[in-house]
Amino acid sequence: MATATDRPPSARHRAPAPPWRASPAVVLQAAAWAGGIAVLALWWRDTGAVVGAAGWLTGAGRITGLLCGYMCALLVALMARVPWLESRVGSDRAARWHASAGRWTIGLLLAHVLLIVLGYAAQAQVAVVRELGTIVFDLPEMLKATAGALILLAVGYTSARAVRRRMRYETWYHLHLFTYAAVFLGFSHQLALGADFVSNAPARAAWYALYLSVACLVLYFRVLTPVRLNLRHRIRVEAVVPEGPGVHSVWMRGRRLDRLDARPGQFLRWRFLTPGMRGASHPYSLSAVPRDDLMRITVKTLGDHSAAVAALRPGTRVWAEGPYGALTAARRSRRKVLLVAGGTGITPLRTLFETLPAAPGDLTLLYRARSPEELALSEELEAVAAARGARLVYVLDAPDGSRARITAQRLRAIVPDVDRHDVYLCGPRGLSLAAYDALREAGVPASRIHHESFEL
């Protein structure tokens, strides 16, 4: 089980994007910047001479308002869970883009409100508080826009890392969904009051096209695609099997599951339709290659949802979305491969260990755990290693309790030519950070250390 929060978040440990030939990240970023420049060009075209403090404040307010509206569209597009984006760019990168777009959106929103109120107040020569009331209650569509702004600010506040850590995932998830309502409430005031749209029919049409395109992405990939997937495959819990202390595998039965197009290393978002678990979807990696009628995830108890997984009953209906993630064989660039797993980070690497094309001796799995009892799926791994002529190395704490650390020296002792390997890395945050640093010290280029590093 590798959830999104298992992976290392710090900037220096982020895996580089796949080569530009395989990833559209650069093209997408260039398109986003081009859209922002087009928005600024629209303001420039429709703005005459700017005179006095009121003019400068109002002009700056218009700029920040236009950019905020544009960022709202990008923000929602990045929430659409477009499989092509998440598998080609990577779920971690898409999540970081979404988080960055959210910060920019909130900053531009605050700047827009402040600058417009100050500009209008200076122009009318009235008190700022009085002008704020006039804007909110007298101008068309402003009550809805105010409600939308307050919702966006609330979502932004709860997404701050310090606040997010103190909230249950389900609470944060449901609050986050109000972003859609906020954008909807704010859209009409952009066209009703935006000086760049009132008398500019092409600009108005382009704005409608932008927002309708984003709405179509959300409708198709967040609603229609999951509905089609679940009607086609009709997934239900088959059995829950204990794998170790606090670790359980969930076997699920469905129809034509091999047509999910889930690649080894990917994950899906799972919603178990039983009381207490149907409220939000959670990401778990596949821990076995899907068969025609069966697939499996392996989950460690880390919170309320993962603890409830152990009590799932056979026959429980399952709602799945995906597959997502770019931790797949497509990132491989070398003949030799090292897989480094910690805890239940073994689950996506378990499928790669079974399926990555490799000659005998070219594939090594290093599995870090505190004790033999915590080696989930060890019998399966040993069978795969024996069948494929691959190496399986366990790194366990000493009997006296002293911690076995993954260091550059240990890596070179296990895999002397580690610097000539591609490395796939998945595990708890602390282990992943330490292993990444050890790999870099051992000479493995960052471009060949593959992991997805982000936080929800």
Side-chain angles (χ1 to χ4, degrees):
M1 182 280 307
T3 69
T5 52
D6 287 330
R7 294 158 184 160
S10 64
R12 70 191 181 92
H13 297 90
R14 293 172 184 163
W20 68 266
R21 294 179 183 85
S23 170
V26 174
V27 174
L28 291 173
Q29 288 176 323
W33 278 103
I37 293 171
V39 168
L40 292 176
L42 174 66
W43 173 85
W44 182 268
R45 177 184 177 277
D46 294 334
T47 302
V50 179
V51 179
W56 282 103
L57 289 168
T58 303
R62 284 176 53 205
I63 292 174
T64 52
L66 285 167
L67 289 173
C68 180
Y70 174 67
M71 291 303 299
C72 280
L74 294 186
L75 183 71
V76 174
L78 289 167
M79 293 175 69
R81 294 181 186 165
V82 179
W84 175 81
L85 176 67
E86 298 215 3
S87 62
R88 293 288 303 280
V89 172
S91 295
D92 60 334
R93 219 168 190 208
R96 292 201 302 271
W97 286 357
H98 173 72
S100 178
R103 289 189 290 270
W104 274 102
T105 302
I106 296 300
L108 289 166
L109 172 63
L110 291 171
H112 170 63
V113 172
L114 178 63
L115 291 166
I116 284 293
V117 172
L118 290 176
Y120 282 17
Q123 190 173 35
Q125 296 184 343
V126 298
V128 171
V129 174
R130 179 180 173 184
E131 185 61 29
L132 176 61
T134 300
I135 292 172
V136 172
F137 295 105
D138 294 346
L139 295 184
E141 305 293 342
M142 275 308 303
L143 279 175
K144 289 193 295 184
T146 301
L150 292 175
I151 292 172
L152 267 183
L153 291 174
V155 171
Y157 173 75
T158 58
S159 296
R161 184 172 298 179
V163 179
R164 166 71 184 90
R165 286 174 176 170
R166 296 196 294 269
M167 298 179 66
R168 293 180 68 247
Y169 170 78
E170 289 78 8
T171 303
W172 172 86
Y173 174 85
H174 288 112
L175 287 173
H176 221 64
L177 292 178
F178 278 97
T179 301
Y180 297 120
V183 174
F184 173 78
L185 289 169
F187 176 73
S188 57
H189 110 281
Q190 299 173 44
L191 298 177
L193 297 177
D196 302 282
F197 301 118
V198 172
S199 59
N200 190 332
R204 194 162 58 250
W207 212 248
Y208 269 116
L210 173 65
Y211 272 78
L212 286 174
S213 298
V214 170
C216 288
L217 286 177
V218 173
L219 177 64
Y220 186 78
F221 291 111
R222 292 295 297 261
V223 180
L224 298 180
T225 297
V227 167
R228 183 180 63 181
L229 182 153
N230 288 281
L231 288 177
R232 173 190 294 175
H233 299 293
R234 300 184 181 275
I235 306 168
R236 291 181 181 269
V237 173
E238 176 76 5
V240 178
V241 179
E243 302 285 2
V247 180
H248 293 80
S249 284
V250 181
W251 284 95
M252 289 168 280
R253 185 173 295 278
R255 302 185 305 181
R256 297 176 291 180
L257 296 178
D258 54 335
R259 298 187 185 181
L260 272 171
D261 295 326
R263 289 178 288 169
Q266 290 190 304
F267 65 92
L268 287 86
R269 298 179 186 274
W270 307 91
R271 190 188 305 264
F272 297 100
L273 303 184
T274 188
M277 301 185 73
R278 67 177 76 239
S281 61
H282 288 250
Y284 299 114
S285 298
L286 293 169
S287 60
V289 179
R291 291 163 28 188
D292 176 61
D293 60 340
L294 283 175
M295 61 182 173
R296 183 184 69 182
I297 59 174
T298 302
V299 180
K300 183 172 183 178
T301 300
L302 297 173
D304 294 342
H305 186 275
S306 53
V309 165
L312 284 171
R313 295 184 177 182
T316 299
R317 294 180 61 189
V318 182
W319 187 268
E321 299 176 43
Y324 304 116
L327 194 70
T328 67
R331 287 193 170 186
R332 179 182 180 181
S333 62
R334 292 293 185 274
R335 177 172 60 88
K336 296 185 177 182
V337 178
L338 169 65
L339 309 175
V340 181
T344 51
I346 188 61
T347 53
L349 302 191
R350 153 73 178 82
T351 58
L352 288 170
F353 191 50
E354 180 181 356
T355 60
L356 274 175
D362 285 347
L363 180 62
T364 302
L365 171 60
L366 189 157
Y367 187 2
R368 167 76 178 91
R370 284 178 294 198
S371 66
E373 293 74 25
E374 294 190 4
L375 293 169
L377 311 176
S378 58
E379 291 184 5
E380 295 180 19
L381 295 171
E382 289 162 7
V384 170
R388 303 197 62 191
R391 296 183 62 205
L392 173 60
V393 180
Y394 297 138
V395 177
L396 305 173
D397 290 346
D400 63 3
S402 58
R403 187 172 180 81
R405 300 186 181 278
I406 296 179
T407 63
Q409 292 74 23
R410 184 186 292 270
L411 287 170
R412 291 194 192 98
I414 296 171
V415 187
D417 58 346
V418 64
D419 58 322
R420 292 162 55 189
H421 284 62
D422 266 298
V423 182
Y424 288 79
L425 170 62
C426 190
R429 179 177 180 272
L431 180 140
S432 294
L433 295 175
Y436 183 96
D437 288 338
L439 288 163
R440 295 290 289 117
E441 185 181 342
V444 182
S447 61
R448 286 198 267 116
I449 303 175
H450 311 303
H451 58 80
E452 292 178 297
S453 51
F454 63 94
E455 293 183 298
L456 286 175

